[in-house]
Amino acid sequence: MSDPRAGRPYMPGYGIVGPDEGRGLLPWSWAEERLIASHDYWVATVWPDGRPHVMPVWGIWHDESVWFSSSARSRKARNLRADPRCVVTTDNAIEPVVVEGVAEVVRELGAIQELVSRVNIKYSSDLTVEFLNPEVNATFRVRPRWVFSLNDKEFTDSPTRWEF
C-alpha cells in the first residue's frame, strides 16, 4: 500500500500535536517498514469466555496484510475461528505498529506457497507447503481496519492512526 488514508493524531489528553501545527505525523512508509522488518509479531485474540489471549508468531507483512500460521488446534487458531477480530503488533515497543483487523483463514495453495517462500527468506528456514497443510495447520491473513504507530523518541509529534 503506497499511502493509505491520511494519518491523524489519536491520543486525546496527551498533548499530542496535530497536522495543522506544522509537525509531523508519521508517513505510512514508516509504519510499513517496521511491519516488514519485525522479527516476531504478537497476536491478540479472545477466548470464548472473553478472556484475552496473546501469543508471539513468526509472520510477514505482504500484500497489505499480516500473514502467519499456527497449528489448527492451537488456542489462537480456535479463538480466531470463533471470533476473527484480532490485534497484531510488531515486536518493537520503542517504535510499535499495532494492526487491528479481521483474520481470514487462507486455504488457497498458491497463497500458502507465497507465504512459505517469504517466510523461508525472512527467517532463513526451510519450511515446505506440506508443513503448512491446511488440514493440519491454519494460515491466517489479517487485513487492517486501522493501524496505530508512534516513535518513542518523538512521542508528542508522532502518534498516528491510519484507517482503511
Side-chain angles (χ1 to χ4, degrees):
M1 179 173 297
S2 58
D3 194 5
R5 296 173 194 129
R8 60 181 187 247
Y10 186 69
M11 291 189 68
Y14 278 86
I16 303 303
V17 301
D20 58 339
E21 296 177 54
R23 296 195 296 187
L25 297 174
L26 297 169
W28 175 245
S29 59
W30 191 93
E32 203 164 34
E33 286 169 9
R34 280 141 189 88
L35 284 163
I36 291 167
S38 188
H39 186 275
D40 301 300
Y41 303 85
W42 290 92
V43 177
T45 64
V46 179
W47 284 71
D49 67 5
R51 287 180 291 149
H53 181 264
V54 178
M55 292 299 288
V57 296
W58 276 9
I60 62 167
W61 174 258
H62 169 65
D63 196 23
E64 303 174 7
S65 302
V66 178
W67 297 70
F68 64 94
S69 64
S70 175
S71 165
R73 295 187 326 230
S74 72
R75 171 47 50 199
K76 68 184 152 300
R78 290 182 288 158
N79 287 351
L80 289 171
R81 282 194 300 275
D83 182 350
R85 296 173 300 166
C86 62
V87 173
V88 181
T89 70
T90 55
D91 60 359
N92 182 346
I94 303 298
E95 297 178 337
V97 180
V98 180
V99 176
E100 181 179 292
V102 176
E104 62 184 83
V105 176
V106 177
R107 294 185 149 279
E108 199 270 307
L109 290 179
I112 294 171
Q113 177 60 58
E114 181 73 19
L115 172 65
V116 167
S117 295
R118 290 176 180 272
V119 164
N120 284 340
I121 291 167
K122 181 174 181 177
Y123 296 100
S124 299
S125 58
D126 59 0
L127 298 178
T128 64
V129 172
E130 292 76 24
F131 179 77
L132 295 184
N133 177 338
E135 302 304 317
V136 179
N137 290 298
T139 297
F140 294 99
R141 176 182 183 171
V142 179
R143 297 175 200 255
R145 289 197 171 163
W146 62 259
V147 174
F148 174 84
S149 192
L150 63 84
N151 181 346
D152 188 64
K153 293 180 180 116
E154 299 169 4
F155 183 78
T156 61
D157 294 343
S158 68
T160 308
R161 177 178 170 161
W162 297 269
E163 294 182 354
F164 297 84

